[in-house]
Amino acid sequence: MARLFDPDPDYHSTVAIDETKLKVEETEVYVWAAVDVETFEVIHIEVSPGRSDLDALLFVKQVLKRCRGEPVVLVDRGPWYH
């Protein structure tokens, strides 16, 4: 079970990161996702109450923990990605 919830880092040459706002009952949340561009493998998903610079940084750090090497990270032009 540990491998399912805390997988070993894997090689990903290019990773795309995006987020979307969802309304759950009366609460708005942001769902973040990171996907390997070549294989479409989902690397990491997370939900946060906000979409700030800090939320983006923490998500990217978690994604990079799941990657061996230094992948190219693609993001949109959101101001929360510095």
Side-chain angles (χ1 to χ4, degrees), residues 15-28:
V15 175
I17 294 176
D18 201 9
E19 78 294 326
T20 190
K21 180 170 48 173
L22 296 176
K23 192 169 189 175
V24 178
E25 295 178 1
E26 296 301 316
T27 305
E28 289 184 342

Side-chain angles (χ1 to χ4, degrees), residues 30-61:
Y30 294 88
V31 178
W32 302 77
V35 177
D36 184 304
V37 172
E38 294 173 4
T39 65
F40 299 106
E41 175 187 353
V42 175
I43 299 168
H44 187 60
I45 295 176
E46 196 169 297
V47 177
S48 68
R51 183 173 59 186
S52 68
D53 295 355
L54 180 59
D55 294 312
L57 176 65
L58 294 174
F59 182 75
V60 171
K61 286 183 117 183

